[in-house]
Amino acid sequence: MVAFMAIKVGIVGYGTIGKRVADIVKNSKGMEIAGVTSRSYSCRLDIAKDRGFSVFVPEDAATEFDNRGFKVGGTFEDLCETADIVVDATPNKIPPKNMPFYDNHNLKVIVQGGESHELTGFSFSSLANYEEALNRNKCRVVSCNTTGLSRVISTLDSAYGVDNVFASLIRRAADPRESSKGPINAVKPVMGVSHHGPDVRTVMPHIDIYSMAVAVPHTLSHVHTLRVKLKKETSREDVVALFDKTPRIVIGKGKEGFGDTCQVAEYYRDFRLRYDMPELFIWDEPLDVVGKYVYIMANVHQESIVVPENIDCIKAMCGLETDKMKAIYETDKVVGIAKARHCYI
Ligand code: NAD
């Protein structure tokens, strides 16, 4: 009998996205962490070590780590030799520089939404195009905003067909830990169409979508307001039932304690590690359907919404699961997204 070898996943960039993906990889069947990278010491690496992750560093940083008595796993090059796939979650524009190393080591690579679609030639969002990622070598998991939009639009498109979408995005100006970007006292518009609509078309090219966006002095989440025109009429009841049985979408009522982004965040603070909220949260009261038009207001937790999609993407690229809904179901069990099994299979 051939023993099954777990897929070894390297996490390059142990920041907001990288550390979250690492935690879920660690607990997922069929994969394990080969190591995480860092350019210099930070207290966060002690936590990585406590979680059992080897830390790989550039050759010229090894002495700094040695002097602290922090035992590293090796160099970035060593990690590339050990891993089967890397999730590159370094800041924008670093992954293109890393790509030649990955190519030299014949590594499969996932990059994040801050990179251009052209870097990998394929953009991924689980509900929209899981099957197209099967056995690919390079994928880009779309950004937090595009993931939120794609979940809703692909769900409505599968059920009714989508004629067109207008999306207005109220974006958080910075992540909670990014004190260097504040204090901020402005609402900053994108002057013209925002990149989010075109980005949705990287995973669903047939969708007619126009998007506008402003950034506001807020760190907890983005808020989306959408008007989706369907190809046929439906009812609010039908749309609520559809979202109820869709993975990674939840509906909550303002009057039941989800009155604003702070209250949503507070609920998830109590509910889950790091108050992560990888579900797309749709507010119940503003959800409306008028003929063919669906009106939606949703909350997107930027730091965690792409995490399950990264895990699904690993499964698809490494051929761990060919069935989209089974992949999503297994990922969501590990992430802790509580929805009934019939939502997935
Ligand atoms: P981050 O700044 O929180 O983390 C990046 C990490 O990479 C840091 O720990 C940094 O020290 C490390 N790093 C920097 N240069 C490096 C290098 N050359 N080699 C190895 N490590 C290096 O960034 P993030 O917010 O996690 O964003 C990463 C990617 O994910 C970006 O493409 C971003 O657009 C995308 N993304 C971010 C969010 C979000 O809200 N933060 C949401 C979705 C997608």
Side-chain angles (χ1 to χ4, degrees), residues 121-310:
F122 177 76
S123 294
F124 177 84
S125 189
S126 306
L127 286 171
N129 64 357
Y130 182 89
E131 290 87 354
E132 289 175 49
L134 289 172
N135 302 316
R136 276 186 186 266
N137 289 327
K138 291 182 184 175
C139 290
R140 162 183 173 263
V141 171
V142 292
S143 72
C144 45
N145 280 310
T146 307
T147 298
L149 291 170
S150 299
R151 285 188 193 166
V152 165
I153 295 167
S154 64
T155 300
L156 292 172
D157 195 37
S158 306
Y160 311 105
V162 163
D163 187 75
N164 64 66
V165 182
F166 174 69
S168 171
L169 289 81
I170 298 114
R171 299 175 52 220
R172 61 87 178 96
D175 285 346
R177 69 172 192 83
E178 292 178 307
S179 51
S180 61
K181 292 193 179 167
I184 303 150
N185 183 21
V187 175
K188 192 174 176 195
V190 173
M191 302 295 171
V193 62
S194 75
H195 70 274
H196 308 96
D199 206 28
V200 166
R201 290 167 56 86
T202 65
V203 290
M204 289 175 285
H206 62 288
I207 297 291
D208 177 3
I209 176 169
Y210 192 93
S211 64
M212 300 179 88
V214 294
V216 296
H218 185 62
T219 62
L220 297 174
S221 56
H222 305 294
V223 171
H224 292 178
T225 60
L226 305 181
R227 190 194 68 182
V228 182
K229 185 179 181 198
L230 306 176
K231 290 195 172 151
K232 53 184 177 203
E233 291 196 7
T234 183
S235 64
R236 185 182 188 280
E237 198 184 11
D238 259 28
V239 171
V240 168
L242 175 68
F243 287 150
D244 271 346
K245 66 179 172 72
T246 302
R248 298 179 190 164
I249 294 182
V250 292
I251 301 180
K253 291 188 196 312
K255 64 181 180 202
E256 291 179 358
F258 294 113
D260 57 34
T261 56
C262 296
Q263 291 185 5
V264 173
E266 184 63 11
Y267 174 83
Y268 281 89
R269 258 188 202 115
D270 295 337
F271 185 63
R272 195 183 270 132
L273 175 72
R274 298 191 184 107
Y275 77 84
D276 278 356
M277 187 183 170
E279 300 93 337
L280 178 78
F281 179 95
I282 293 178
W283 273 285
D284 181 72
E285 290 89 338
L287 177 57
D288 201 5
V289 177
V290 182
K292 291 181 178 172
Y293 289 98
V294 183
Y295 296 91
I296 294 167
M297 197 172 274
N299 184 77
V300 173
H301 182 225
Q302 73 278 0
E303 296 171 284
S304 65
I305 193 168
V306 299
V307 173
E309 267 70 5
N310 271 274

Side-chain angles (χ1 to χ4, degrees), residues 11-20 37-40 42 44 56 58 76 88-95 97-98 102 111-115 141-145 147 172 174-175 177-178 222 301-306 310:
I11 305 289
V12 179
Y14 192 66
T16 306
I17 303 299
K19 67 184 178 185
R20 288 175 164 84
T37 68
S38 185
R39 286 171 309 159
S40 57
S42 129
R44 275 183 294 168
F56 291 75
F76 177 48
D88 190 324
T90 55
N92 304 2
K93 314 294 175 235
I94 304 282
K97 294 183 187 153
N98 291 337
Y102 305 145
V111 300
Q112 306 302 310
E115 302 313 315
V141 171
V142 292
S143 72
C144 45
N145 280 310
T147 298
R172 61 87 178 96
D175 285 346
R177 69 172 192 83
E178 292 178 307
H222 305 294
H301 182 225
Q302 73 278 0
E303 296 171 284
S304 65
I305 193 168
V306 299
N310 271 274

